[in-house]
Amino acid sequence: MTRNGDEPFITAVKPLVDAMGGEMLPPDEAGPDDVVLAWEGVDVVAVRLPQLADSLDHILAAMERRQGKPLADLDRKAKQEVVRILEARGAFSVRHGVETVASALGVSRFTVYNYLNREKES
């Protein structure tokens, strides 16, 4: 997949691709929805972006890793902060986003909506 000299570029973009749940593949295997990245005028790597719903699961898993425990084990204030961060990242524009987040937090959809409304009132 790489030419000599491409490794630093691929190493540099890999954490970003991983963070968004994407997949790296050779540029000649890119599909119409993939993003081909070039370095010094040469196509180096293609990035297959995840579906939005998969991205939400990936974001929730990353937040859980950062917290060091399941999101459902967080206190109310921490859960409200998670909802605020997820709203800023567009999590609730995904179909069933509220349900997915509520399940991850161990709360009801109603509670997630309350957290969202509380944020808007602030």
Side-chain angles (χ1 to χ4, degrees):
M1 175 157 84
T2 64
R3 293 177 303 118
N4 208 8
D6 294 340
E7 290 82 9
F9 177 78
I10 290 173
T11 300
V13 298
K14 185 171 182 354
L16 176 62
V17 173
D18 290 346
M20 54 187 203
E23 175 187 355
M24 296 172 75
L25 44 128
D28 59 344
E29 293 180 20
D33 295 329
D34 297 333
V35 178
V36 177
L37 302 177
W39 180 250
E40 297 178 346
V42 177
D43 292 345
V44 175
V45 65
V47 177
R48 181 155 298 150
L49 301 172
Q51 298 299 314
L52 283 176
D54 295 336
S55 290
L56 180 54
D57 291 337
H58 195 79
I59 290 167
L60 288 167
M63 292 182 90
E64 202 163 83
R65 282 192 304 276
R66 251 183 256 123
Q67 295 289 333
K69 59 183 171 182
L71 297 177
D73 292 348
L74 299 175
D75 63 25
R76 183 176 53 83
K77 186 173 180 171
K79 288 179 182 181
Q80 288 172 334
E81 178 66 11
V82 166
V83 168
R84 186 193 64 72
I85 292 167
L86 290 171
E87 182 180 29
R89 294 183 76 176
F92 301 110
S93 63
V94 175
R95 186 169 187 215
H96 302 298
V98 171
E99 291 86 347
T100 301
V101 171
S103 176
L105 293 175
V107 300
S108 69
R109 290 180 323 156
F110 180 75
T111 299
V112 172
Y113 284 119
N114 278 341
Y115 291 169
L116 287 168
N117 288 334
R118 183 168 290 124
E119 181 64 27
K120 288 179 179 140
E121 292 169 3
S122 308

